[in-house]
Structure formats: structure tokens, C-alpha cells
Amino acid sequence: MTVPIAIIGAGIAGLSAANALMKAGKAAHLFEKAKGPGGRMASKRSEVGSLDMGAQYFTARDRRFVAQVQQWQAQGCIAEWQPQMYHARAGQLTPSPDEQTRWVGTPRMSAITRAMAQDVPATYRCRVSEVFRGQDYWHVLDADGTSHGPFSHVICALPAPQATALLATVPKLAAAVAGVTMNPTWAVALAFETPLETRLQGCFVQDSALDWFARDRSKPGRNSLADTWVLHATSEWSRQHLDLDAITVVERLHGAFAELINCSVPAPVFSQAQRWLYARPAGNHEWGVLADASFGIYVCGDWCLSGRVEGAWLSGQEAARRLLEQLD
Ligand code: FAD
Ligand code: NAI
């Protein structure tokens, strides 16, 4: 009997680990609480089209990730986005062109994780509440009380606070992961019937409730029915307004956007707010992966590296590499 490896979390880190393990001939099984893969790279379907509410774009600096990006490009699930970039400081909007190559999923961000998840056995809508080890094998208990297993190893590919909750059987590992703070982000999407009169397509912001806004429709392959924009609040603003209702969040961030954008901003025909509780790690780490290899449990995710898409993918690769090394 082949005993598979359990991977909890079908964000890009978990999928990266699953793809690497399966490429090495190992059996893996994903557990994901949402109805599909993607995590913070998911896109929201809406009446005005798909919207990237989480990751906006990504860059590739590590040569291994550069090679993966080339494969995705050949597969057609990503394309380069070349926005008219601006920055805003002290309320002043200035063009800010640069040479950075930025990638996005096409026709939506979630196209990448969807492609990665294609051949991976998975149980969706399954919130894991506990992982425990019997004499030889691991078992996974879900929130409905169903036990899944046996598994030879476990990889937790979750934001650090969500991973900590599953690590009760490995207290030393739990303590290390519990030391990682992750900050929230409030995201708001707005859609306008008539396109806003601006060339701006992406903007890094300082001295505002916002730290980023972008014209979602300017990304390649989008078929939005209106002029769609996504706004992200700073970690600080998001923390201070964590429990604000979504309508007020939309009003406030729409207001901050209208103050910055330098053109008239009518009432949107569509708006939506999404709160990401664990959006980004408070600091950078260089762990790659954390593990108790003697017990066969590994923890990975963006917070083990750069807190970006690239860091999450690399961390998943690192988890798979360490696990395979242990098997040799
Ligand atoms: P996640 O994507 O968080 O995956 C974890 C998965 O685990 C989720 O699918 C979750 O549903 C699942 N899960 C959690 N608990 C359980 C459980 N108990 N049982 C089962 N499943 C569970 N990065 C960039 O490079 N560029 C950007 O422009 C950018 N912008 C961003 C904007 C926002 C608003 C946010 C939130 C993030 C942004 N990022 C950006 C960061 C990037 O999205 C993340 O670094 C990356 O997607 C993290 O991947 P991950 O697999 O580590 O974690
Ligand atoms: P990048 O190289 O485009 O940006 C890195 C940083 O450099 C930007 O945050 C910005 O401050 C600055 N910068 C880059 N180009 C600029 C320009 N033309 N004008 C002015 N400033 C510029 O991309 P990288 O390194 O891949 O970073 C990913 C992005 O994802 C970052 O902006 C980061 O803040 C964002 N992110 C957001 C999260 C959230 O929760 N809102 C979570 C994780 C990442």
C-alpha cells in the first residue's frame, strides 16, 4: 500500500509542494477549507467580471522561480502586465515608470493555482482542525469530526497563525511558528460604468489609508464589464479598522482613492470589500521551511521567505525537497 503525504492548504505554497512531490513519484493529498485552490491568489467572480482581490501581480528573482514562470507562460496561464505605474506621496500623484517585469495570471490570477491543482488529489471544503500521529502514521481530523488517513508525512502550507493551531503534537515547532506575526489587509473593488479619465493603471501609495491601487481591467486577458479597480489599505489602517463593517470600509477607501486619483470619481456601479486577516508577514525570514523531520511534519508558506508569491512557491519547493531528502 502506498501511504500518501497530506498537504494542508491549497495556496501556491501547498500546490508547489504537491507538484514537486508528485514529480518525484510520491503520492500526495491536499486538504483545503475553501471550495477551490488559490488562497491569497484567488480571484473573486462578480457581476462585473473576475477581480484579483489578493495578490495583484508577481515578480520573479530566483532562477528556479524564473524557470517555473517560463513554463506557466508557455502554458498560457500567465502574461506580462505592463501598467502605467504611478506613485503617490503626501497626496501628490506622479508617474513612476520602471523596468520591473510583472506577471499576472490570465484571464485571472487564479488561473495559475487552478493549473497547478489540476492533477492533484484533493478534498476541498474541508477545514482541518487537528493533525495527530499514531504509532506509524499521521491522521488528519476535519472540523466535521471526520478522520482522514493514514499519511506518511504532513505538510502544513498555511499562514503562520493558522499553522500554529494544528501543531499541538509538535510543541517546539508550534512555538517557532507562533512567533510569526501576520498583518491584515482590507481590499476593496470598485467598478465604474464610464471609464475614469486617467492613464494610471497601478499606483504605490504613501501617507494614505491606501498603499496600492490598480485598474484591474488593465491586466491582460480581462473581460470586465466595467472599469474595475482594486484598492488595498495599509496594514496599519487595516489593523485599526479590522472590525469595521464592509459598507463603511468601501466608503472610506473609496474616499481615499477619490482624493488621490486626480480625476472625477462617480459613484461606483459595483463595490465589494474583502478582509484578509493574514495577508502578509510582519517581517522577512530566511527559513525556507520549518520542520520536525524526525516526526515527518513540515511547515511552509510565504512567511518562511519573502511574504510574496515567489517566496510562497519557493517555500513549497523547499518543503518537498527536505521531505524527499529525509526519505533517501
Ligand atoms: P495562502 O495563499 O494563504 O494558502 C493557504 C491556504 O490554506 C488557503 O487556501 C486557506 O484557505 C487554506 N487553509 C487555511 N487554514 C486551513 C485549514 N485549517 N484547513 C484547510 N485549509 C486551510 N504577493 C505578491 O508577490 N505580489 C502582490 O502583489 C501581492 N499582493 C497581495 C495582496 C493581498 C491583499 C494579499 C492578501 C496578498 C498579496 N500578496 C502578494 C501575497 C501573496 O498572495 C502570498 O504571499 C501568497 O499567495 C501566499 O501563498 P501561501 O500558499 O503561502 O498561502
Ligand atoms: P515590486 O518590485 O513591484 O515592488 C516592491 C516595492 O517597491 C513596492 O511595494 C514599492 O514600494 C516599490 N516600487 C516598485 N516599483 C515602484 C515604482 N515604479 N514606483 C514606486 N515604487 C515602486 O514587487 P515585489 O517585490 O514582487 O513586491 C510585491 C508587492 O506585493 C509589493 O508591493 C508588496 O507590498 C505587495 N504585497 C502586498 C500584500 C498585502 O497584503 N497588501 C502582501 C504581500 C505583498
Short mmCIF file of all heavy atoms in Angstrom, two decimals, residues 40 56-61 85-87 89 96-98 100 102 183-185 204 206 211-212 232-233 235 276 279-281 302 306-310, ligand 2:
data_model
loop_
_atom_site.label_atom_id
_atom_site.label_comp_id
_atom_site.label_asym_id
_atom_site.label_seq_id
_atom_site.Cartn_x
_atom_site.Cartn_y
_atom_site.Cartn_z
N ARG A 40 -4.54 33.15 -1.14
CA ARG A 40 -4.42 34.61 -1.35
C ARG A 40 -4.18 34.96 -2.82
O ARG A 40 -4.07 36.13 -3.16
CB ARG A 40 -3.31 35.16 -0.45
CG ARG A 40 -3.77 35.34 0.98
CD ARG A 40 -2.62 35.67 1.90
NE ARG A 40 -1.93 34.48 2.35
CZ ARG A 40 -0.70 34.46 2.87
NH1 ARG A 40 -0.02 35.58 2.95
NH2 ARG A 40 -0.15 33.33 3.28
N GLN A 56 -1.73 40.93 -6.55
CA GLN A 56 -2.01 41.80 -7.69
C GLN A 56 -1.19 41.44 -8.92
O GLN A 56 -1.64 41.58 -10.04
CB GLN A 56 -1.69 43.24 -7.30
CG GLN A 56 -2.59 43.75 -6.19
CD GLN A 56 -4.01 43.85 -6.68
OE1 GLN A 56 -4.32 44.70 -7.51
NE2 GLN A 56 -4.88 42.98 -6.21
N TYR A 57 0.04 41.03 -8.67
CA TYR A 57 0.99 40.67 -9.72
C TYR A 57 2.15 40.01 -9.00
O TYR A 57 2.17 39.99 -7.75
CB TYR A 57 1.48 41.92 -10.49
CG TYR A 57 2.28 42.87 -9.64
CD1 TYR A 57 3.66 42.70 -9.46
CD2 TYR A 57 1.67 43.93 -8.96
CE1 TYR A 57 4.39 43.54 -8.66
CE2 TYR A 57 2.40 44.78 -8.16
CZ TYR A 57 3.77 44.57 -8.00
OH TYR A 57 4.50 45.40 -7.18
N PHE A 58 3.08 39.45 -9.72
CA PHE A 58 4.26 38.95 -9.02
C PHE A 58 5.50 39.15 -9.86
O PHE A 58 5.44 39.33 -11.08
CB PHE A 58 4.11 37.49 -8.57
CG PHE A 58 3.79 36.53 -9.69
CD1 PHE A 58 4.80 35.84 -10.34
CD2 PHE A 58 2.48 36.32 -10.06
CE1 PHE A 58 4.51 34.95 -11.36
CE2 PHE A 58 2.17 35.44 -11.09
CZ PHE A 58 3.19 34.76 -11.74
N THR A 59 6.62 39.16 -9.16
CA THR A 59 7.92 39.31 -9.81
C THR A 59 8.69 38.01 -9.59
O THR A 59 8.36 37.23 -8.70
CB THR A 59 8.70 40.49 -9.19
OG1 THR A 59 8.82 40.26 -7.78
CG2 THR A 59 7.97 41.81 -9.43
N ALA A 60 9.70 37.76 -10.42
CA ALA A 60 10.49 36.53 -10.32
C ALA A 60 11.96 36.90 -10.28
O ALA A 60 12.48 37.47 -11.23
CB ALA A 60 10.18 35.62 -11.51
N ARG A 61 12.60 36.58 -9.15
CA ARG A 61 14.02 36.94 -8.99
C ARG A 61 14.90 35.70 -8.85
O ARG A 61 16.01 35.68 -9.34
CB ARG A 61 14.19 37.87 -7.80
CG ARG A 61 13.50 39.21 -8.10
CD ARG A 61 13.40 40.20 -6.98
NE ARG A 61 12.64 41.36 -7.45
CZ ARG A 61 11.72 42.01 -6.75
NH1 ARG A 61 11.45 41.65 -5.52
NH2 ARG A 61 11.07 43.02 -7.28
N MET A 85 2.64 52.99 -14.43
CA MET A 85 2.83 52.99 -12.98
C MET A 85 3.01 54.42 -12.45
O MET A 85 3.68 55.24 -13.06
CB MET A 85 4.07 52.15 -12.66
CG MET A 85 4.13 51.66 -11.26
SD MET A 85 2.75 50.57 -10.83
CE MET A 85 3.53 48.99 -11.02
N TYR A 86 2.39 54.65 -11.31
CA TYR A 86 2.49 55.95 -10.64
C TYR A 86 2.88 55.71 -9.18
O TYR A 86 2.80 54.59 -8.69
CB TYR A 86 1.13 56.68 -10.65
CG TYR A 86 0.81 57.36 -11.96
CD1 TYR A 86 0.65 56.62 -13.13
CD2 TYR A 86 0.65 58.74 -12.04
CE1 TYR A 86 0.36 57.23 -14.34
CE2 TYR A 86 0.35 59.37 -13.23
CZ TYR A 86 0.20 58.62 -14.39
OH TYR A 86 -0.10 59.24 -15.58
N HIS A 87 3.30 56.79 -8.51
CA HIS A 87 3.33 56.71 -7.06
C HIS A 87 2.67 57.96 -6.49
O HIS A 87 2.63 59.01 -7.16
CB HIS A 87 4.73 56.44 -6.50
CG HIS A 87 5.71 57.55 -6.68
ND1 HIS A 87 5.64 58.75 -6.00
CD2 HIS A 87 6.79 57.64 -7.48
CE1 HIS A 87 6.63 59.52 -6.36
NE2 HIS A 87 7.34 58.88 -7.27
N ARG A 89 2.67 60.39 -3.06
CA ARG A 89 3.28 60.76 -1.78
C ARG A 89 2.70 62.09 -1.34
O ARG A 89 2.59 63.01 -2.16
CB ARG A 89 4.81 60.92 -1.91
CG ARG A 89 5.46 59.59 -2.04
CD ARG A 89 6.98 59.64 -2.04
NE ARG A 89 7.44 58.36 -2.60
CZ ARG A 89 8.41 58.23 -3.48
NH1 ARG A 89 9.06 59.27 -3.91
NH2 ARG A 89 8.74 57.03 -3.93
N SER A 96 5.62 57.00 -12.39
CA SER A 96 6.77 56.34 -11.79
C SER A 96 7.14 55.11 -12.61
O SER A 96 7.08 53.98 -12.13
CB SER A 96 6.43 55.97 -10.35
OG SER A 96 7.56 55.54 -9.67
N PRO A 97 7.53 55.34 -13.89
CA PRO A 97 7.83 54.19 -14.75
C PRO A 97 9.05 53.44 -14.24
O PRO A 97 9.90 54.03 -13.56
CB PRO A 97 8.11 54.83 -16.10
CG PRO A 97 8.48 56.23 -15.82
CD PRO A 97 7.81 56.62 -14.53
N ASP A 98 9.13 52.17 -14.50
CA ASP A 98 10.31 51.39 -14.11
C ASP A 98 10.52 50.25 -15.10
O ASP A 98 9.73 50.07 -16.03
CB ASP A 98 10.18 50.88 -12.67
CG ASP A 98 9.00 49.94 -12.49
OD1 ASP A 98 8.66 49.20 -13.44
OD2 ASP A 98 8.40 49.93 -11.40
N GLN A 100 10.81 46.95 -14.12
CA GLN A 100 10.46 45.67 -13.47
C GLN A 100 9.49 44.86 -14.34
O GLN A 100 8.49 45.40 -14.82
CB GLN A 100 9.80 45.96 -12.11
CG GLN A 100 9.42 44.74 -11.32
CD GLN A 100 10.61 43.91 -10.90
OE1 GLN A 100 11.52 44.38 -10.23
NE2 GLN A 100 10.62 42.65 -11.33
N ARG A 102 6.54 42.38 -14.46
CA ARG A 102 5.47 41.96 -13.53
C ARG A 102 4.53 41.00 -14.25
O ARG A 102 4.12 41.26 -15.39
CB ARG A 102 4.69 43.19 -13.03
CG ARG A 102 5.53 44.14 -12.21
CD ARG A 102 4.73 45.28 -11.61
NE ARG A 102 5.54 46.07 -10.71
CZ ARG A 102 6.32 47.09 -11.07
NH1 ARG A 102 6.38 47.47 -12.34
NH2 ARG A 102 7.03 47.75 -10.17
N ASN A 183 0.04 40.41 9.28
CA ASN A 183 -0.81 41.61 9.29
C ASN A 183 -1.98 41.48 8.32
O ASN A 183 -1.86 40.82 7.29
CB ASN A 183 0.03 42.83 8.92
CG ASN A 183 0.91 43.26 10.08
OD1 ASN A 183 0.51 43.18 11.25
ND2 ASN A 183 2.11 43.70 9.78
N PRO A 184 -3.08 42.14 8.65
CA PRO A 184 -4.26 42.08 7.77
C PRO A 184 -4.20 43.10 6.63
O PRO A 184 -3.41 44.04 6.66
CB PRO A 184 -5.40 42.45 8.72
CG PRO A 184 -4.76 43.38 9.72
CD PRO A 184 -3.32 42.94 9.86
N THR A 185 -5.04 42.89 5.64
CA THR A 185 -5.25 43.88 4.56
C THR A 185 -6.74 43.92 4.23
O THR A 185 -7.35 42.88 3.95
CB THR A 185 -4.49 43.49 3.27
OG1 THR A 185 -3.09 43.55 3.52
CG2 THR A 185 -4.82 44.42 2.12
N PHE A 204 1.66 52.86 -6.32
CA PHE A 204 2.16 52.64 -4.97
C PHE A 204 1.91 53.93 -4.18
O PHE A 204 2.24 55.01 -4.65
CB PHE A 204 3.67 52.37 -4.99
CG PHE A 204 4.03 51.10 -5.72
CD1 PHE A 204 4.59 51.15 -7.00
CD2 PHE A 204 3.81 49.86 -5.15
CE1 PHE A 204 4.93 49.98 -7.67
CE2 PHE A 204 4.15 48.69 -5.81
CZ PHE A 204 4.70 48.75 -7.07
N GLN A 206 1.95 56.26 -0.53
CA GLN A 206 2.43 56.53 0.83
C GLN A 206 1.56 57.62 1.44
O GLN A 206 0.88 58.36 0.73
CB GLN A 206 3.89 57.00 0.81
CG GLN A 206 4.85 55.86 0.53
CD GLN A 206 6.26 56.34 0.26
OE1 GLN A 206 6.56 57.52 0.37
NE2 GLN A 206 7.11 55.42 -0.10
N ASP A 211 -2.23 51.66 0.42
CA ASP A 211 -0.83 51.56 0.00
C ASP A 211 -0.70 51.13 -1.47
O ASP A 211 0.39 51.08 -2.02
CB ASP A 211 0.03 50.71 0.94
CG ASP A 211 -0.31 49.23 0.94
OD1 ASP A 211 -1.12 48.78 0.11
OD2 ASP A 211 0.26 48.53 1.80
N TRP A 212 -1.85 50.81 -2.10
CA TRP A 212 -1.80 50.37 -3.50
C TRP A 212 -3.18 50.51 -4.11
O TRP A 212 -4.19 50.26 -3.44
CB TRP A 212 -1.37 48.89 -3.54
CG TRP A 212 -1.62 48.17 -4.85
CD1 TRP A 212 -2.65 47.32 -5.13
CD2 TRP A 212 -0.81 48.23 -6.03
NE1 TRP A 212 -2.53 46.86 -6.42
CE2 TRP A 212 -1.41 47.40 -6.99
CE3 TRP A 212 0.36 48.93 -6.36
CZ2 TRP A 212 -0.87 47.22 -8.27
CZ3 TRP A 212 0.89 48.74 -7.64
CH2 TRP A 212 0.28 47.91 -8.57
N HIS A 232 -6.01 48.57 -2.00
CA HIS A 232 -5.57 47.87 -0.79
C HIS A 232 -5.22 48.89 0.29
O HIS A 232 -4.43 49.82 0.05
CB HIS A 232 -4.34 47.01 -1.08
CG HIS A 232 -4.67 45.76 -1.83
ND1 HIS A 232 -3.74 45.00 -2.48
CD2 HIS A 232 -5.85 45.12 -1.99
CE1 HIS A 232 -4.33 43.96 -3.03
NE2 HIS A 232 -5.62 44.01 -2.75
N ALA A 233 -5.75 48.68 1.48
CA ALA A 233 -5.40 49.54 2.62
C ALA A 233 -4.06 49.10 3.19
O ALA A 233 -3.63 47.96 3.01
CB ALA A 233 -6.48 49.44 3.68
N SER A 235 -1.36 47.96 6.14
CA SER A 235 -1.51 47.04 7.28
C SER A 235 -2.03 47.81 8.49
O SER A 235 -2.89 47.32 9.22
CB SER A 235 -0.16 46.42 7.64
OG SER A 235 0.33 45.66 6.58
N TRP A 276 -8.59 40.38 4.45
CA TRP A 276 -7.60 39.29 4.55
C TRP A 276 -6.98 39.41 5.93
O TRP A 276 -6.23 40.35 6.20
CB TRP A 276 -6.51 39.44 3.48
CG TRP A 276 -7.01 39.39 2.08
CD1 TRP A 276 -7.31 40.44 1.27
CD2 TRP A 276 -7.24 38.21 1.28
NE1 TRP A 276 -7.72 40.00 0.04
CE2 TRP A 276 -7.68 38.64 0.02
CE3 TRP A 276 -7.10 36.84 1.52
CZ2 TRP A 276 -7.99 37.75 -1.00
CZ3 TRP A 276 -7.42 35.96 0.52
CH2 TRP A 276 -7.86 36.41 -0.73
N ALA A 279 -2.70 38.61 5.78
CA ALA A 279 -2.31 38.98 4.41
C ALA A 279 -0.81 38.89 4.19
O ALA A 279 -0.35 38.39 3.18
CB ALA A 279 -2.80 40.39 4.11
N ARG A 280 -0.04 39.44 5.15
CA ARG A 280 1.41 39.45 4.94
C ARG A 280 2.16 39.38 6.27
O ARG A 280 1.72 39.93 7.26
CB ARG A 280 1.84 40.68 4.17
CG ARG A 280 1.46 42.00 4.78
CD ARG A 280 2.20 43.11 4.05
NE ARG A 280 1.35 44.22 3.65
CZ ARG A 280 1.64 45.01 2.64
NH1 ARG A 280 2.69 44.80 1.92
NH2 ARG A 280 0.84 46.02 2.35
N PRO A 281 3.32 38.69 6.23
CA PRO A 281 4.10 38.58 7.47
C PRO A 281 4.64 39.95 7.87
O PRO A 281 4.97 40.76 6.99
CB PRO A 281 5.24 37.62 7.09
CG PRO A 281 5.28 37.61 5.61
CD PRO A 281 3.92 37.97 5.10
N ASP A 302 4.44 31.56 2.49
CA ASP A 302 5.16 32.78 2.12
C ASP A 302 5.97 33.36 3.28
O ASP A 302 7.05 33.90 3.10
CB ASP A 302 4.20 33.83 1.54
CG ASP A 302 3.14 34.28 2.53
OD1 ASP A 302 2.84 33.55 3.51
OD2 ASP A 302 2.60 35.39 2.33
N SER A 306 9.89 35.40 1.59
CA SER A 306 9.75 36.84 1.34
C SER A 306 8.34 37.42 1.53
O SER A 306 8.16 38.61 1.36
CB SER A 306 10.17 37.13 -0.10
OG SER A 306 9.29 36.46 -0.99
N GLY A 307 7.34 36.59 1.87
CA GLY A 307 6.00 37.15 2.02
C GLY A 307 5.39 37.58 0.69
O GLY A 307 4.53 38.46 0.65
N ARG A 308 5.86 36.94 -0.38
CA ARG A 308 5.34 37.25 -1.72
C ARG A 308 5.02 35.93 -2.42
O ARG A 308 5.36 34.85 -1.94
CB ARG A 308 6.39 38.01 -2.55
CG ARG A 308 6.75 39.36 -2.01
CD ARG A 308 8.17 39.79 -2.42
NE ARG A 308 8.41 39.62 -3.84
CZ ARG A 308 9.42 38.87 -4.34
NH1 ARG A 308 10.24 38.21 -3.55
NH2 ARG A 308 9.59 38.77 -5.64
N VAL A 309 4.42 36.03 -3.60
CA VAL A 309 4.08 34.83 -4.38
C VAL A 309 5.34 33.99 -4.59
O VAL A 309 5.33 32.77 -4.39
CB VAL A 309 3.45 35.24 -5.73
CG1 VAL A 309 3.36 34.06 -6.68
CG2 VAL A 309 2.07 35.85 -5.49
N GLU A 310 6.40 34.64 -5.00
CA GLU A 310 7.66 33.91 -5.26
C GLU A 310 8.13 33.17 -3.99
O GLU A 310 8.51 32.00 -4.05
CB GLU A 310 8.74 34.88 -5.73
CG GLU A 310 10.08 34.20 -5.97
CD GLU A 310 11.13 35.17 -6.51
OE1 GLU A 310 11.23 36.30 -5.99
OE2 GLU A 310 11.86 34.77 -7.44
P1 NAI B 2 7.82 45.26 -6.91
O1 NAI B 2 9.26 45.12 -7.19
O2 NAI B 2 6.92 45.79 -7.96
O3 NAI B 2 7.58 46.20 -5.64
C1 NAI B 2 8.31 46.21 -4.44
C2 NAI B 2 8.16 47.58 -3.78
O4 NAI B 2 8.99 48.52 -4.46
C3 NAI B 2 6.74 48.18 -3.85
O5 NAI B 2 5.97 47.86 -2.72
C4 NAI B 2 7.03 49.67 -3.91
O6 NAI B 2 7.17 50.18 -2.59
C5 NAI B 2 8.36 49.77 -4.59
N1 NAI B 2 8.23 50.06 -6.03
C6 NAI B 2 8.38 49.18 -7.05
N2 NAI B 2 8.21 49.80 -8.24
C7 NAI B 2 7.92 51.07 -7.98
C8 NAI B 2 7.64 52.20 -8.79
N3 NAI B 2 7.58 52.11 -10.12
N4 NAI B 2 7.41 53.39 -8.18
C9 NAI B 2 7.45 53.49 -6.84
N5 NAI B 2 7.71 52.46 -6.01
C10 NAI B 2 7.95 51.26 -6.56
O7 NAI B 2 7.19 43.83 -6.49
P2 NAI B 2 7.57 42.73 -5.42
O8 NAI B 2 8.90 42.97 -4.80
O9 NAI B 2 7.31 41.44 -6.06
O10 NAI B 2 6.50 43.01 -4.28
C11 NAI B 2 5.18 42.62 -4.39
C12 NAI B 2 4.20 43.65 -3.99
O11 NAI B 2 3.15 42.96 -3.32
C13 NAI B 2 4.69 44.73 -3.04
O12 NAI B 2 4.18 45.95 -3.48
C14 NAI B 2 4.03 44.37 -1.72
O13 NAI B 2 3.75 45.49 -0.93
C15 NAI B 2 2.75 43.70 -2.19
N6 NAI B 2 2.17 42.81 -1.20
C16 NAI B 2 1.01 43.20 -0.63
C17 NAI B 2 0.43 42.45 0.36
C18 NAI B 2 -0.84 42.93 1.00
O14 NAI B 2 -1.32 42.26 1.90
N7 NAI B 2 -1.39 44.05 0.58
C19 NAI B 2 1.01 41.17 0.80
C20 NAI B 2 2.24 40.84 0.14
C21 NAI B 2 2.79 41.64 -0.85
#
